[in-house]
Amino acid sequence: MTAGDIVKITVSAGLKQGQITPTELCQKCLSLIKKTKFLNAYITVTEEVALKQAEESEKRYSKGQSLGDLDGIPFAVKDNFSTSGIETTCASNMLKGYVPPYNATVVQKLLDQGALLMGKTNLDEFAMGSGSTDGVFGPVKNPWSYSKQYREKRKQKPLRANEDSDWLITGGSSGGSAAAVSAFTCFAALGSDTGGSTRNPAALCGLVGLKPSYGLVSRHGLIPLVNSMDVPGILTRCVDDAAIILGVLAGQDPKDSTTVQDPVKPFVLPSLTDVSKLCVGIPKEYLVPELSSEVQSLWSKAADLFESQGAKVIEVSLPHTSYSIVCYHVLCTSEVASNMARFDGLEYGHRCNNDVSLEAMYAATRREGFNDVVRGRILSGNFFLLKENYENYFIKAQKVRRLIANDFMDVFNSGVDVLLTPTTLREAIPYSEFIKEDNRTRSAQDDIFTQAVNMAGLPAISVPVALSNQGLPVGLQFIGRAFCDQQLLIIAKWFEKQVQFPIIQLQELIDDYSAIIENEKFASVSLTQ
Amino acid sequence: MAAPILRLGCAGRRCALAGVKGASRHRRGAPNGFALNEMRVQSSMAPRPVITAQKPRKGEHEWAPVVGLEIHAQISSNSKLFSGSQVHFAAPPNSLVSFFDASLPGTLPVLNRRCVEAAVMTGLALNCRINKKSLFDRKHYFYADLPAGYQITQQRLPIAVSGILTYGVCEGNKRNQIITKTVRIKQIQLEQDSGKSLHDHPQSQTLVDLNRAGVGLLEVVMEPDMTCGEEAATAVRELQLILQALGTSQANMAEGQLRVDANISVHHPGEPFGVRTEVKNLNSARFLAKAIDYEIQRQIYELENGGEILNETRSFDSKLGCTVPMRDKEGKQDYRFMPEPNLPPLVLYDADSLPAGADSQQVVDIDYIRERLPELPSVTRDKLVQQYGMLPEHSFTLLNEVGLLAFFQSVIKETRAEPKLVTNWVLNTFLGYLKQQNLTVSESPVTPSALAELLTLLDGKVISSSAAKQVFEELWTGKGKTAAHIVSEKQLGLMQDQEALEQFCQAVMEQHPQVVTDVKNGNLRAVNKLIGLVRKATLSRADPTAIRKILEKQLSL
């Protein structure tokens, strides 16, 4: 049994054939959400909304008027997407209690397909982080910390004294979404991806994490981190599910002027049988000293796999890769400084009690509303944007960004179809280990393989490849040509089929886990092929 | 999508009409409240004495004042620059506010095509080069009526650059000589307006109205080619006429649709420009001229008395008639400009670059707009001069008064009187009455038709010129009577009966033999006396020309 077997067809087919009703499915997920509450995956659980939607979905099924593959399918949304009538916090004091009056386009599109919104998932405050540890609602715990696979390996080693601090991080910043999908509380989740925030937790949680091409999916309603790099991301248990979701989300949105006008075709993924015409590029700059030998070896094996199946695998160069982190730092903080200016306590969100003067109110509101990470980035960004610094920092960073994008262009123009890289340096690490470094250091380290893609606006996907010696997931990343998202997904699907990544075993986490997994109806929906 | 929906986004505890205590400093960029109605004052601005700043006083260096302007014109459009909310003046507070205008997180700007077209039209009318690619930038500053904390503008690459505005200044003793001057247009940029802050000082509160937040503005930057308040005010007036002719802005200064900032410095000719000050938020042409002239004099005085000019922002105190420094430090703050990442470059096309099969709703074609530009004021004035033999200064007056040209044209259309007579009556009698009573053309009690009828009567010699004045007076104070009605009621019609008039003449000659003798002795001026006497006898109902004819015949002159 592998994760790849949990194919969308089985879920929706189950619903269509009446083997399970949307309400039953919804209740299963709600029950799992409660059982896994300690993971801290959700900030808000929208139980009533979900049950009401399930009821409506059920009516449609009973009339034979299902809206499609996603009708009745539970999904979760990162808490930086606006949801009408549902609190949207960005895991920040600044937006606690803020209830948007509108839905983000991507949320609306899923709702229009009859999908069930289970809740809003946890993240680093305003998506600034790579661990999902720096939100006001506390850190997210990786479900794999409690998996049979991980626990079995650990028994061979001495247990640590403080068991509670021994859990693993999910990666981030879309860690809540990743944990939610990984723990079976929903079938798909929306994340956001600015420097790797979808792909990174996908890799650490054994999921498929898709970052579509910039401009393919609307950002309207996504509370921005870096407008020029943000993309709604998709977290699922298999590539086909990601393709279905992307098919629904993609397309021009009149409310987002950066979406492309070309009509988008539905993403149907034919099964690739022959990779002999494929050229896979291996960027040599991605072989960094910090890369764990295990990940490196899996990366190398993956390359061999393609080669053994007839694909052309070549080493390529992305010479400006090493400048990516510092370039990203300047561009990201500058846009953050600008985007965060609206949080002034006047129109919405937190407002301090200080009313001495307008300036004092602004200062106190923002000091109370933002955490150190956000305030630090605002400070740096405003520094880079100062008149005397603009040329030396922002303009230079923009030029470097262009060079980084050109690196990719050159490689793809030379005939490479797809790049194969690691997603992360290593598998998930314990929280206690993670917090030894500060947010900035972690973000810089952890985005190393993912961030350049955002600078270039390219589509990329992290696919789980195998478990490490510790029994934890490792993901590899494929990077495609701009707007060739479908080709990327087809290749990822082929790869997914070859590697047969194992399904997470959560028996020790959820006492009646086997009952849930082996429950006849549930199993027939999610686990049979 | 107005305030009620917005409140949902505020978690039900606070609406957009936010009260902010202690926000009492001066405002940058736009007037705080409503301006006085200055339109009619401004129209009487033309015949003001030339200021004396340029003229050197005895024994002193000559000073050359330098004046540049930044003008914000609100674009006349149904919806805002980047959102779908409507644009209306004086709508209930916060009733025209979309989620984007209130800067709800996650909202994005969507460029309004109409505003782009308005900018292109204005650029073409001001002889600018239209940039086929222009960019948007964010300009950051914190203020209660700027919800996003930045304004979207075009700092790096504006939509139009390098234009020329031609305007005419009245000179000469009688101020009847039109001197043509030009000012270079540096650039025209599209940008968002801010909301309005109303400072309630007694309660130490500020009320914010976001109706205006996000309305499209054209910022027209004029090079420092002007030298005095009158030039600046006249250039602004000409721009205002152009914007109104194009329909790109209502450009009503009283409603804040046209706002002017002036950059002013003085220097000795041949030397580099002096340090400049910026006088902000001038919302009437009269105050603009006054503020500039005051500021020029102030700077000269400062410099001549050993003082120095600070590069500062000042405001005009219309009550005191002087400029005062704005005490906040905003003028010196760093706006931390950066590219607006949510708007792709604005690309315009012309006939050559227009892609084949392009959807005309998706592209803006500069040539298409150029071909359909309406008639500009300068052309209208030339036509008036050519068509009606009018003096150039008269054509200026006709256009400068709001509604006067249309009034004139209606009269012309409906009367048989000569254009010269119409021009004379409209510019002297009619305009004189308006000025005296401080009324606008649209408020006039006399309609174009009524004046047309009166002038037809005058032209057909049914009434005399002096009777016509009397009729006009009646029409003005009138009770809805027509000119013909007034003429018959007051018996103001000229005597059309030749025999009766001859009898009047005969009687007058008999009654005044001495005058007749004077005439016969060669004192031709005495004829005029006789004419006057006949007119008096006819109660001014006789045409003097007709009387003269009869007298000359009877006296065999």
Side-chain angles (χ1 to χ4, degrees):
Chain A
M1 189 187 300
T2 74
D5 291 337
I6 312 169
V7 181
K8 50 87 199 177
I9 304 161
T10 56
V11 184
S12 49
L15 287 165
K16 277 173 197 155
Q17 290 159 19
Q19 289 164 299
I20 188 166
T21 68
T23 307
E24 284 168 333
L25 189 59
C26 182
Q27 277 163 344
K28 295 276 179 216
C29 289
L30 286 169
S31 136
L32 277 170
I33 289 173
K34 280 172 197 146
K35 290 192 168 86
T36 60
K37 195 170 187 303
F38 66 98
L39 292 176
N40 209 10
Y42 288 82
I43 291 173
T44 306
V45 179
T46 51
E47 180 166 355
E48 279 177 38
V49 176
L51 284 170
K52 193 163 168 286
Q53 289 167 339
E55 200 180 308
E56 283 160 18
S57 172
E58 197 153 331
K59 279 183 202 155
R60 287 191 293 271
Y61 274 108
S62 66
K63 288 182 198 157
Q65 292 169 343
S66 130
L67 294 171
D69 286 341
L70 292 180
D71 201 343
I73 304 290
F75 74 104
V77 174
K78 189 177 181 180
D79 208 22
N80 60 351
F81 286 93
S82 299
T83 42
S84 182
I86 299 166
E87 191 180 351
T88 299
T89 68
C90 287
S92 174
N93 274 327
M94 187 56 92
L95 284 180
K96 262 189 192 169
Y98 167 65
V99 179
Y102 74 102
N103 276 326
T105 298
V106 285
V107 172
Q108 190 60 50
K109 282 186 164 184
L110 289 172
L111 293 175
D112 289 346
Q113 292 294 311
L116 317 179
L117 177 61
M118 306 309 291
K120 304 294 293 292
T121 58
N122 205 348
L123 64 155
D124 290 300
E125 182 161 334
F126 282 101
M128 297 181 202
S130 59
S132 302
T133 51
D134 282 332
V136 75
F137 299 102
V140 186
K141 298 177 180 178
N142 192 328
W144 284 86
S145 320
Y146 309 93
S147 70
K148 197 177 163 193
Q149 292 103 319
Y150 179 60
R151 291 284 153 186
E152 273 175 4
K153 299 275 181 187
R154 286 193 64 81
K155 273 173 198 163
Q156 296 160 6
K157 299 173 193 171
L159 280 170
R160 287 198 190 157
N162 186 358
E163 197 62 38
D164 190 48
S165 68
D166 208 23
W167 51 268
L168 309 161
I169 58 146
T170 54
S173 63
S174 310
S177 288
V181 178
S182 178
F184 298 101
T185 65
C186 59
F187 286 81
L190 294 179
S192 61
D193 195 313
T194 310
S197 279
T198 293
R199 289 159 286 159
N200 176 289
L204 301 192
C205 294
L207 299 173
V208 168
L210 172 65
K211 175 227 170 280
S213 296
Y214 185 89
L216 186 64
V217 177
S218 169
R219 292 179 294 115
H220 173 251
L222 166 61
I223 299 177
L225 176 58
V226 185
N227 296 285
S228 62
M229 300 185 208
D230 290 342
V231 180
I234 299 166
L235 291 128
T236 55
R237 289 194 281 267
C238 65
V239 175
D240 269 317
D241 284 1
I244 289 187
I245 305 279
L246 181 62
V248 168
L249 302 186
Q252 197 199 357
D253 180 5
K255 291 174 182 154
D256 178 357
S257 306
T258 61
T259 50
V260 286
Q261 294 185 10
D262 311 325
V264 173
K265 287 177 229 151
F267 290 84
V268 187
L269 299 187
S271 290
L272 195 63
T273 49
D274 178 16
V275 292
S276 65
K277 290 195 182 74
L278 209 60
C279 180
V280 180
I282 311 290
K284 63 177 181 187
E285 289 80 6
Y286 281 49
L287 183 55
V288 293
E290 298 86 355
L291 184 63
S292 80
S293 58
E294 221 177 336
V295 175
Q296 189 191 332
S297 140
L298 286 167
W299 181 23
S300 171
K301 275 186 193 160
D304 293 345
L305 172 68
F306 275 98
E307 202 157 32
S308 69
Q309 299 294 312
K312 189 174 156 197
V313 178
I314 56 166
E315 186 186 87
V316 296
S317 174
L318 300 168
H320 297 96
T321 301
S322 61
Y323 305 109
S324 156
I325 298 285
V326 63
C327 169
Y328 177 85
H329 180 68
V330 173
L331 296 177
C332 170
T333 56
S334 298
E335 279 199 43
V336 163
S338 175
N339 287 332
M340 296 294 146
R342 70 188 56 213
F343 299 104
D344 58 10
L346 280 182
E347 287 82 12
Y348 41 77
H350 178 70
R351 188 198 288 185
C352 70
N353 290 321
N354 182 335
D355 59 358
V356 171
S357 73
L358 182 65
E359 287 79 4
M361 191 279 284
Y362 283 156
T365 295
R366 290 164 68 80
R367 189 179 58 244
E368 292 166 12
F370 294 136
N371 69 5
D372 288 350
V373 176
V374 178
R375 286 212 305 278
R377 291 202 193 182
I378 291 172
L379 196 63
S380 322
N382 278 322
F383 175 81
F384 297 136
L385 289 177
L386 285 177
K387 205 173 178 183
E388 74 233 47
N389 295 335
Y390 187 74
E391 284 283 330
N392 278 336
Y393 292 95
F394 193 84
I395 294 287
K396 277 198 181 146
Q398 276 193 317
K399 287 178 179 168
V400 173
R401 179 181 185 172
R402 172 58 57 93
L403 292 174
I404 289 168
N406 286 348
D407 281 353
F408 284 107
M409 291 259 283
D410 293 344
V411 164
F412 287 123
N413 287 341
S414 76
V416 169
D417 296 300
V418 71
L419 296 172
L420 173 63
T421 79
T423 311
T424 55
L425 290 167
R426 62 188 77 82
E427 69 271 64
I429 57 172
Y431 176 72
S432 51
E433 180 112 354
F434 184 79
I435 55 172
K436 283 178 185 164
E437 299 280 1
D438 66 13
N439 180 295
R440 189 152 61 103
T441 313
R442 284 295 179 202
S443 299
Q445 287 171 349
D446 296 344
D447 289 350
I448 184 161
F449 302 126
T450 47
Q451 179 188 85
V453 165
N454 295 75
M455 303 243 206
L458 304 175
I461 189 167
S462 178
V463 181
V465 50
L467 294 183
S468 67
N469 291 334
Q470 285 200 81
L472 292 175
V474 172
L476 290 178
Q477 173 179 238
F478 293 93
I479 304 167
R481 291 190 180 96
F483 298 103
C484 292
D485 298 55
Q486 180 163 13
Q487 186 196 25
L488 179 72
L489 286 162
I490 291 169
I491 295 166
K493 184 180 170 180
W494 178 87
F495 183 72
E496 175 187 60
K497 200 175 172 200
Q498 309 299 311
V499 297
Q500 297 283 306
F501 181 76
I503 191 166
I504 184 171
Q505 292 177 16
L506 289 176
Q507 288 91 327
E508 293 173 20
L509 169 66
I510 309 156
D511 31 349
D512 57 347
Y513 172 78
S514 56
I516 292 159
I517 288 296
E518 283 155 24
N519 172 293
E520 193 192 341
K521 278 183 180 171
F522 197 86
S524 69
V525 171
S526 61
L527 297 177
T528 60
Q529 175 81 9
Chain B
M1 293 191 282
I5 307 174
L6 183 63
R7 281 191 204 104
L8 284 175
C10 311
R13 65 192 171 95
R14 169 184 323 143
C15 75
L17 185 71
V20 188
K21 275 200 170 176
S24 59
R25 61 178 175 182
H26 287 285
R27 175 76 187 86
R28 135 163 282 286
N32 289 332
F34 296 86
L36 300 169
N37 184 350
E38 288 299 331
M39 280 305 286
R40 46 189 83 157
V41 181
Q42 161 218 339
S43 55
S44 59
M45 154 225 95
R48 280 170 29 80
V50 181
I51 63 117
T52 52
Q54 306 98 308
K55 295 178 186 168
R57 275 170 260 167
K58 266 181 198 166
E60 281 174 343
H61 268 307
E62 194 180 345
W63 288 102
V66 173
V67 179
L69 301 176
E70 283 171 26
I71 299 159
H72 289 91
Q74 226 175 56
I75 299 172
S76 175
S77 59
N78 293 329
S79 56
K80 295 184 181 179
L81 182 56
F82 296 120
S83 80
S85 17
Q86 285 190 302
V87 178
H88 280 305
F89 180 69
N94 295 307
S95 61
L96 307 173
V97 184
S98 71
F99 301 152
F100 175 79
D101 304 329
S103 80
L104 292 201
T107 53
L108 299 169
V110 179
L111 183 57
N112 181 344
R113 178 193 164 86
R114 155 71 193 163
C115 295
V116 175
E117 288 170 341
V120 172
M121 280 176 90
T122 307
L124 291 172
L126 294 177
N127 310 293
C128 289
R129 192 180 80 231
I130 308 295
N131 280 326
K132 287 191 192 148
K133 179 182 157 191
S134 59
L135 303 170
F136 290 96
D137 305 283
R138 291 179 178 181
K139 174 182 178 176
H140 300 87
Y141 62 98
F142 281 107
Y143 204 70
D145 55 25
L146 187 75
Y150 56 83
Q151 173 200 36
I152 304 178
T153 178
Q154 294 194 297
Q155 191 230 2
R156 290 166 298 164
L157 191 53
I159 190 163
V161 292
S162 310
I164 288 275
L165 172 69
T166 305
Y167 61 101
V169 178
C170 294
E171 283 188 5
N173 286 340
K174 294 180 180 172
R175 304 193 51 77
N176 57 359
Q177 234 181 319
I178 301 286
I179 307 293
T180 299
K181 302 208 169 183
T182 59
V183 53
R184 289 167 299 150
I185 307 291
K186 182 166 182 266
Q187 65 186 54
I188 300 175
Q189 63 201 47
L190 277 166
E191 62 183 35
Q192 294 174 299
D193 208 341
S194 64
K196 270 184 189 157
S197 294
L198 302 169
H199 301 298
D200 179 358
H201 288 292
Q203 295 210 36
S204 188
Q205 276 199 336
T206 297
L207 301 177
V208 179
D209 178 6
L210 294 181
N211 282 354
R212 202 181 64 178
V215 170
L217 293 179
L218 295 172
E219 179 173 337
V220 180
V221 182
M222 291 185 183
E223 298 279 13
D225 296 343
M226 291 155 288
T227 59
C228 65
E230 191 195 0
E231 282 186 8
T234 316
V236 167
R237 178 63 186 137
E238 186 67 17
L239 175 67
Q240 194 177 28
L241 289 174
I242 290 171
L243 295 171
Q244 287 165 346
L246 296 172
T248 54
S249 172
Q250 289 172 293
N252 182 340
M253 292 185 98
E255 292 186 4
Q257 289 148 348
L258 199 70
R259 307 188 284 267
V260 184
D261 302 337
N263 290 306
I264 301 150
S265 67
V266 299
H267 66 123
H268 295 302
E271 292 177 12
F273 283 0
V275 175
R276 66 181 200 191
T277 60
E278 186 178 18
V279 183
K280 282 207 162 287
N281 302 335
L282 296 161
N283 50 12
S284 92
R286 193 174 61 127
F287 290 163
L288 169 66
K290 271 191 164 183
I292 290 171
D293 290 343
Y294 174 87
E295 184 59 17
I296 291 169
Q297 295 295 5
R298 186 190 71 82
Q299 292 187 8
I300 292 172
Y301 179 84
E302 282 287 336
L303 292 170
E304 288 186 346
N305 289 280
E308 66 171 334
I309 304 302
L310 302 174
N311 181 2
E312 64 182 355
T313 305
R314 301 174 73 88
S315 63
F316 181 64
D317 186 320
S318 55
K319 282 180 197 135
L320 300 175
C322 64
T323 64
V324 288
M326 289 169 81
R327 269 189 214 99
D328 63 295
K329 293 177 187 132
E330 279 186 289
K332 289 170 202 82
Q333 83 176 48
D334 192 319
Y335 293 119
R336 291 156 287 132
F337 284 100
M338 67 162 232
E340 166 55 66
N342 294 318
L343 290 166
L346 169 56
V347 177
L348 307 174
Y349 297 90
D350 60 16
D352 294 331
S353 65
L354 195 68
D359 180 356
S360 63
Q361 290 304 304
Q362 292 294 322
V363 296
V364 172
D365 179 350
I366 300 166
D367 288 329
Y368 181 90
I369 292 172
R370 192 196 312 273
E371 285 158 21
R372 284 159 186 77
L373 275 188
E375 185 177 287
L376 295 176
S378 58
V379 178
T380 310
R381 282 190 290 253
D382 288 349
K383 278 190 180 169
L384 287 171
V385 171
Q386 304 236 315
Q387 203 172 341
Y388 303 122
M390 181 182 296
L391 292 169
E393 63 262 32
H394 288 165
S395 70
F396 271 89
T397 313
L398 270 187
L399 264 74
N400 277 341
E401 297 299 326
V402 177
L404 193 60
L405 177 63
F407 188 94
F408 171 81
Q409 284 167 333
S410 302
V411 177
I412 285 274
K413 212 179 279 175
E414 295 184 40
T415 187
R416 286 197 294 271
E418 287 295 311
K420 272 190 179 163
L421 184 72
V422 178
T423 308
N424 192 16
W425 270 76
V426 167
L427 290 184
N428 294 327
T429 315
F430 178 69
L431 192 55
Y433 271 73
L434 288 177
K435 288 280 160 67
Q436 204 178 14
Q437 308 205 5
N438 207 15
L439 295 178
T440 62
V441 173
S442 63
E443 289 165 338
S444 155
V446 176
T447 64
S449 309
L451 181 58
E453 185 195 354
L454 171 62
L455 296 183
T456 303
L457 293 176
L458 178 62
D459 186 62
K461 298 200 192 309
V462 177
I463 51 171
S464 68
S465 174
S466 60
K469 295 252 161 72
Q470 215 179 321
V471 174
F472 186 83
E473 172 80 39
E474 289 284 325
L475 286 173
W476 192 270
T477 55
K479 324 202 157 40
K481 292 173 186 165
T482 65
H485 192 174
I486 294 166
V487 168
S488 82
E489 195 178 82
K490 301 253 166 178
Q491 298 200 323
L492 294 171
L494 283 177
M495 290 179 63
Q496 305 295 334
D497 185 341
Q498 187 70 12
E499 264 180 43
L501 192 55
E502 280 172 11
Q503 280 170 14
F504 270 108
C505 289
Q506 193 62 43
V508 165
M509 284 193 290
E510 283 165 11
Q511 284 158 22
H512 298 87
Q514 185 55 48
V515 183
V516 174
T517 312
D518 287 352
V519 175
K520 287 191 172 162
N521 286 343
N523 183 356
L524 292 182
R525 279 193 194 161
V527 177
N528 291 338
K529 191 165 185 191
L530 286 176
I531 294 170
L533 289 165
V534 175
R535 288 197 65 205
K536 203 174 172 189
T538 61
L539 302 167
S540 296
R541 290 169 55 225
D543 177 9
T545 336
I547 299 170
R548 180 183 290 273
K549 262 189 195 162
I550 294 168
L551 287 175
E552 284 174 350
K553 191 175 150 200
Q554 288 180 345
L555 293 166
S556 318
L557 292 172

